């Protein structure tokens, strides 16, 4: 993907067009006041929304854009507003677009590539390849629906879950894990990993087809609230700051806001999205639920979610080996369902777990 920069008068407007775009495309947002040519020169596309900018800000912007000779510059304006169109041309924006999310996303994907698409290892079996591509498209549709408040493509999600189940059966878990982990997006990779573990675990537990599907749906949707968090934070190569981590921890609350009032979302799927960070001893978040308040399907997802987050490769942390990750879950005696955890072993180990090596826990985003 090519680099995209978004330049706006007010970066703190969290519900603005650009904050939505930066949740679906790898784009960095800059404030007009602070931006300079050096910050933008590595971008292939610069998109500017200068609504409510002052004359001095427009002059500054014009000076910056004049130095970017290799970059496509797009202005997001109200095309029926003649003054905005004239101003946009005066500051040197090469192309103008209506200030509209759908149109802007289509344009940026054409120019810079689709963030949702993954380049899979050549050795990926055909059926697994097809299932991963299908899942990526579904995850992308989910994110777009969550951002634009359109109905969730629940039939596509269910069909993706069916393909995950089928390829786990035909090509095996290892092929799924390798293919999925090649995705550049932490969230895409993580959700598809959790889905793989969840449906495999559900089958092992002898759950009904319906429950297996619900778990798969829940796994693909479980972190949907992360669409409210910029990809620059979710995919940050280094450690998160305290503030960034606090924002990421709000994702179950964002999931609640996104999923509430959607008749197409099954209650069990909604519970998984809202409660997968709750712990049996009441120390989880966001509600501090405990014991019987946490359903069987949520408990299963929590185990798959923690295990997946611990074993995922991230640039800012070591990935735990399966035994170490299992050991950490095993030490969460009061927090996760230990009976289920014992039954989880065959999903992740081909042989017996044996001795568990432990090392100090690092902060893990899931
Ligand atoms: Fe989560
Ligand atoms: Fe998660």
């Amino acid at each position: 993907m090519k680099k995209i920069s978004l330049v706006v008068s007010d970066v703190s407007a969290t519900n603005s067009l650009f904050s939505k775009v930066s949740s679906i495309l790898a784009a960095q947002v800059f404030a007009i006041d602070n931006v300079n040519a050096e910050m933008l020169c590595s971008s292939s596309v610069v998109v500017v929304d200068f609504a409510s900018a002052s004359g001095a800000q427009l002059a500054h912007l014009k000076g910056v854009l004049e130095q970017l000779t290799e970059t496509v510059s797009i202005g997001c304006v109200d095309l029926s507003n003649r003054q905005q169109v004239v101003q946009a041309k005066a500051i040197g924006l090469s192309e103008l677009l209506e200030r509209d999310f759908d149109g802007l996303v289509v344009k940026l994907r054409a120019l810079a590539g689709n963030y949702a698409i993954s380049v899979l290892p050549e050795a990926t079996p055909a059926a697994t390849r097809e299932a991963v591509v299908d899942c990526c498209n579904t995850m992308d549709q989910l994110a777009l629906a969550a951002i634009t408040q359109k109905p969730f493509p629940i039939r596509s999600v269910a069909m993706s879950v069916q393909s995950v189940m089928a390829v786990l059966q035909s090509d095996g878990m290892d092929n799924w894990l390798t293919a999925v982990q090649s995705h550049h997006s932490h969230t895409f990779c993580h959700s598809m990993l959790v889905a793989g573990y969840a449906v495999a675990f559900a089958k092992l537990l002898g759950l009904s087809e319906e429950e297996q599907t619900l778990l798969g749906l829940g796994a693909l949707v479980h972190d949907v609230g992360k669409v409210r968090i910029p990809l620059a934070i979710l995919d940050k190569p280094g450690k998160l700051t305290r503030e960034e981590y606090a924002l990421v921890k709000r994702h179950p609350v964002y999931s609640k806001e996104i999923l509430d009032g959607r008749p197409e979302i099954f209650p069990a799927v909604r519970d998984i999205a809202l409660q997968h960070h709750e712990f049996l001893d009441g120390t989880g978040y966001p509600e501090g639920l405990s014991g019987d308040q946490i359903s069987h399907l949520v408990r299963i997802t929590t185990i798959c979610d923690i295990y997946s987050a611990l074993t995922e490769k991230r640039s800012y942390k070591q990935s735990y080996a399966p035994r170490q990750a299992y050991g950490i879950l095993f030490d969460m005696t009061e927090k996760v369902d230990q009976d289920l955890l014992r039954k989880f072993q065959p999903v992740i180990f081909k042989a017996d777990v044996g001795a568990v090596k432990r090392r100090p826990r690092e902060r893990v985003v899931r």
Side-chain angles (χ1 to χ4, degrees), residues 135-245:
C135 249
C136 288
N137 285 329
T138 294
M139 295 280 301
D140 185 43
Q141 287 174 37
L142 266 175
L144 283 169
I147 291 171
T148 55
Q149 295 174 338
K150 289 178 184 158
F152 270 17
I154 212 69
R155 276 178 65 89
S156 306
V157 191
M159 282 167 72
S160 296
V161 171
Q162 296 298 325
S163 359
V164 178
M165 288 169 165
V167 294
L168 288 183
Q169 201 68 23
S170 63
D171 297 345
M173 179 68 95
D174 283 350
N175 277 313
W176 177 254
L177 300 182
T178 308
V180 162
Q181 292 202 74
S182 68
H183 204 291
H184 55 270
S185 155
H186 291 163
T187 308
F188 273 67
C189 165
H190 171 69
S191 300
M192 291 191 282
L193 286 176
V194 178
Y197 291 128
V199 297
F201 194 12
K203 194 169 168 59
L204 182 87
L205 290 169
L207 300 188
S208 66
E209 279 270 331
E210 191 191 340
E211 285 174 312
Q212 289 180 37
T213 308
L214 282 173
L215 265 173
L217 288 169
L220 288 180
V221 175
H222 83 283
D223 277 337
V224 69
K226 288 184 180 169
V227 298
R228 299 256 179 102
I229 300 165
L231 289 174
I233 294 178
L234 294 177
D235 292 343
K236 186 174 170 179
K239 280 194 174 180
L240 298 182
T241 64
R242 191 188 296 265
E243 292 74 26
E244 288 168 340
Y245 189 62

Side-chain angles (χ1 to χ4, degrees), residues 190 222-223 226 248 251-252 273 276-277 285 305 365-366:
H190 171 69
H222 83 283
D223 277 337
K226 288 184 180 169
V248 172
H251 73 272
H276 65 277
H277 287 272
Y285 62 90
D305 184 39
V365 175
R366 60 184 180 97

Side-chain angles (χ1 to χ4, degrees), residues 73 79 130 201 207 225 286 288 323:
S73 62
L79 287 172
E130 215 174 295
F201 194 12
L207 300 188
R323 286 181 188 202

